[in-house]
């Protein structure tokens, strides 16, 4: 088998241990290092002196990140490889053998590097990911708040849609203070514009739903929950400003461009750009990007028969964001995504239909970033322009199955 690299290194990464197998000069040398910065610098010095052309490591949790960062800063070429692509023979599993196996595969060009963006984009991705986790934590706190209110026999969640909004917050602060929320207090808050007059529920309905039994302990819990929600809101706003300041001009321009796709907002557009970047040259086609993101079915063919193939795991942050955007996109009944969703849901189910819409959103984003084109809405009637005669015959067949007869309809029309 042809050798691609004369000097290369296979690295088996753990939390506190790094085992490196360096092939150079026709010889193989294995050394163990710690996972501290000093030990990793020693590893880099060893590889640099040996003229290492490429180093490869498994994507083990987050343990590969400090090693990759220092290798990148030291000017050494390194690749991170999916662990599924280099499984060793069962029964031969040791740290040394794993590093030797990785080095052997790397030397003969049998490893495919995972997409690892630059340092700036990785930091942006961490910011965006942390913001998303804070938003999820805030939603969990809001759900806990509603459960606690139900325990106090307060039914505001069924009357006011946004429990973290201005009006609901004013009412909750009154309940947390131990005051009685009556008609006089309602008028006072309304005069101070702490409660909006545009609530769908009437004054009597709000007073009825806010009439509960709040114990002193529940009042204390309510104050803690409201304080935590305020704190999370401040952190989210701070991260928003940091993300905006960390983004490059071309990334901000890309966010504004892809925001035109139905279902995408500023936050979701930032997440997509932080994951895939703005340079689409690393993905030959939109299908390659969708496959990398795990937004298309896997291949499962045997004896010339296609079997159901599950989607790959892909990037969790990107997948979750795209599926959420798909749920928003199909709400517009005049859009192409709604037509696609209804067409696929009829024979594949709702969950697969949402994934298909998410796939289309990602492909649209790919072409907008690569070609610099603007989003063009195809409309809800896009599929109706294909195979019109076949669709007419199908509809007529269904009508006849329901008992409709064109001859009888014509005779009845002539009789009248």
């Amino acid at each position: 088998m042809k050798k691609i690299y004369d000097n290369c290194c296979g690295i088996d990464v753990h939390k506190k241990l790094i085992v490196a197998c360096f092939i150079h000069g026709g010889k193989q040398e294995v050394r163990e290092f710690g996972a501290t910065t000093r030990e990793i610098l020693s590893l880099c010095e060893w590889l640099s002196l040996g003229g290492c052309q490429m180093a490869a490591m498994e994507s083990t949790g987050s343990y590969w990140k400090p090693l990759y960062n220092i290798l990148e800063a030291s000017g050494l070429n390194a690749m991170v490889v999916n662990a599924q692509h280099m499984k060793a023979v069962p029964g031969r599993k040791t740290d040394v053998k794993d590093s030797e196996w990785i080095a052997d595969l790397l030397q003969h060009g049998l490893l495919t590097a995972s997409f690892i963006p630059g340092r700036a984009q990785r930091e942006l991705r961490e910011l965006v990911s942390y913001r998303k986790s804070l938003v999820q934590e805030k939603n969990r706190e809001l759900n806990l708040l509603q459960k606690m209110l139900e325990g106090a026999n307060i039914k505001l969640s069924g009357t006011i849609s946004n429990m973290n909004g201005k009006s609901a917050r004013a009412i909750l602060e009154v309940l947390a203070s131990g005051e009685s929320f009556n008609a006089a207090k309602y008028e006072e808050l309304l005069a101070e514009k702490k409660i909006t007059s545009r609530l769908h529920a009437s004054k009597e309905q709000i007073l009825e739903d806010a009439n509960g039994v709040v114990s002193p302990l529940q009042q204390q819990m309510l104050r803690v929950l409201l304080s935590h929600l305020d704190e999370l809101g401040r952190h989210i706003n701070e991260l928003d400003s940091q993300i905006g300041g960390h983004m490059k001009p071309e990334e901000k321009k890309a966010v504004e461009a892809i925001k035109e796709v139905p279902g995408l907002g500023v936050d979701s557009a930032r997440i997509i750009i932080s994951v895939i970047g703005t340079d689409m040259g690393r993905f030959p086609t939109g299908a390659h990007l969708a496959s990398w993101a795990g937004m298309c079915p896997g291949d499962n063919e045997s004896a010339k028969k296609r079997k159901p193939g599950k989607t790959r795991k892909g990037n969790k942050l990107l997948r979750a964001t795209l599926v959420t955007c798909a749920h928003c996109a199909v709400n517009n009944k005049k859009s192409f995504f709604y037509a696609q969703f209804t067409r696929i849901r009829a024979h594949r189910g709702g969950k697969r239909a949402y994934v298909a819409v998410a796939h289309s959103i990602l492909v649209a984003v790919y072409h907008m970033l690569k070609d610099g084109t603007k989003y063009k809405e195809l409309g809800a009637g896009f599929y109706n322009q294909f195979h019109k005669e076949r669709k007419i015959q199908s509809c007529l067949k269904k009508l006849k199955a329901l008992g409709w007869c064109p001859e009888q309809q014509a005779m009845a029309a002539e009789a009248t």
Side-chain angles (χ1 to χ4, degrees):
M1 191 178 296
K2 183 180 178 181
K3 293 183 179 180
I4 305 299
Y5 299 107
D6 293 326
N7 299 335
C8 61
C9 181
I11 305 175
D12 189 36
V13 186
H14 300 277
K15 184 176 183 179
K16 294 186 177 182
L17 177 67
I18 296 175
V19 181
C21 175
F22 189 17
I23 300 176
H24 59 100
K27 297 181 181 180
Q28 180 175 293
E29 184 178 357
V30 178
R31 292 188 185 181
E32 293 185 359
F33 299 87
T36 61
T37 303
R38 181 179 59 83
E39 293 284 341
I40 296 176
L41 289 174
S42 301
L43 169 63
C44 293
E45 183 180 0
W46 176 48
L47 297 180
S48 298
L49 293 175
C52 181
Q53 297 172 290
M54 179 64 71
M57 69 195 81
E58 288 183 351
S59 56
T60 307
S62 59
Y63 304 140
W64 62 269
K65 293 182 180 180
L67 176 59
Y68 186 87
N69 290 336
I70 296 179
L71 287 173
E72 183 183 42
S74 301
L76 293 170
N77 296 323
M79 66 168 64
V80 180
V81 185
N82 191 333
Q84 292 183 346
H85 297 171
M86 50 182 179
K87 288 185 177 180
V89 179
R92 299 186 52 171
K93 181 73 173 69
T94 64
D95 296 336
V96 173
K97 290 186 180 297
D98 283 347
S99 62
E100 292 175 347
W101 177 248
I102 296 172
D104 191 28
L105 293 176
L106 175 62
Q107 187 180 33
H108 295 91
L110 298 177
L111 295 180
T112 302
S114 300
F115 164 51
I116 305 295
R119 182 66 179 267
Q121 186 179 339
R122 295 201 300 270
E123 292 176 349
L124 176 63
R125 186 186 297 185
E126 290 180 358
L127 276 175
V128 172
S129 178
Y130 182 54
R131 183 194 180 278
K132 184 179 179 65
S133 65
L134 288 184
V135 172
Q136 292 173 342
E137 178 65 23
K138 187 176 180 180
N139 292 333
R140 283 192 290 268
E141 290 293 286
L142 286 172
N143 291 335
L144 184 59
L145 173 64
Q146 293 186 13
K147 289 181 180 180
M148 195 201 69
L149 292 177
E150 287 292 332
N153 203 29
I154 295 176
K155 302 292 184 178
L156 284 176
S157 60
T159 304
I160 302 178
S161 58
N162 185 9
M163 291 301 296
N164 198 40
K166 176 181 176 182
S167 301
R169 186 57 181 270
I171 297 173
L172 293 176
E173 288 180 351
V174 172
L175 296 175
S177 64
E179 297 184 44
S180 176
F181 185 72
N182 48 29
K185 192 65 179 179
Y186 180 89
E187 293 296 338
E188 179 185 345
L189 295 176
L190 189 63
E192 296 175 355
K193 295 184 179 180
K194 292 183 178 180
I195 294 181
T196 179
S197 58
R198 297 192 301 270
L199 291 174
H200 293 294
S202 63
K203 170 185 173 181
E204 292 75 16
Q205 182 65 43
I206 293 176
L207 291 174
E208 180 69 20
D209 291 341
N211 183 20
V213 182
V214 185
S215 66
L217 180 60
Q218 289 174 329
Q219 292 175 8
Q220 183 179 0
M221 289 179 60
L222 187 56
R223 288 193 294 268
V224 173
L225 279 170
L226 294 178
S227 176
H228 193 200
L229 287 171
D230 289 340
E231 183 181 3
L232 289 172
R234 288 193 299 269
H235 291 322
I236 292 172
N237 293 334
E238 182 181 355
L239 284 175
D240 285 335
S241 61
Q242 290 182 5
I243 291 171
H246 190 79
M247 295 185 72
K248 299 177 182 177
E250 59 269 20
E251 292 173 337
K252 295 180 180 179
K253 185 178 179 181
V255 167
E256 292 297 323
I258 67 175
K259 199 173 60 173
E260 301 299 323
V261 179
L264 266 64
V266 175
D267 296 333
S268 56
R270 284 179 171 179
I271 292 175
I272 293 173
I273 293 300
S274 69
V275 175
I276 67 175
T278 57
D279 180 18
M280 295 294 102
R282 57 177 64 96
F283 302 108
T285 64
H288 284 80
L289 174 58
S291 177
W292 173 83
M295 298 307 301
C296 61
D299 290 331
N300 187 6
E301 181 179 343
S302 179
K304 299 296 182 179
K305 293 183 180 179
R306 292 285 303 224
K307 299 180 181 179
K310 296 182 180 180
T311 58
R312 299 170 59 188
K313 292 183 178 180
N315 185 283
K316 293 182 180 179
L317 178 62
L318 181 60
R319 278 173 56 92
T321 302
L322 288 172
V323 173
T324 302
C325 293
H327 279 77
C328 298
V330 299
N331 290 333
N332 184 3
K333 296 187 178 181
K334 295 182 180 180
S335 68
F336 161 77
F337 295 127
Y338 174 76
Q340 182 188 22
F341 175 76
T342 54
R343 175 174 173 267
I344 297 176
R345 181 181 59 178
H347 61 278
R348 298 295 292 169
K351 292 183 178 180
R352 289 186 175 92
Y354 281 121
V355 174
V357 172
H359 173 274
S360 298
I361 292 175
L362 184 59
V363 172
V365 169
Y366 170 82
H367 288 289
M368 293 174 69
L369 295 177
K370 185 176 182 179
D371 305 329
T373 57
K374 294 184 178 181
Y375 176 76
K376 180 181 178 182
E377 178 58 58
L378 298 177
F382 175 76
Y383 290 108
N384 293 333
Q385 58 184 312
F386 304 108
H387 311 294
K388 289 185 178 181
E389 187 64 29
R390 185 190 302 175
K391 292 178 180 178
I392 292 173
Q393 294 300 325
S394 176
C395 292
L396 290 175
K397 185 177 180 181
K398 292 179 181 179
L399 287 173
K400 292 178 180 179
L402 293 173
W404 178 80
C405 182
E407 292 79 6
Q408 293 180 358
Q409 295 291 331
M411 294 174 60
E414 291 177 358
T416 56

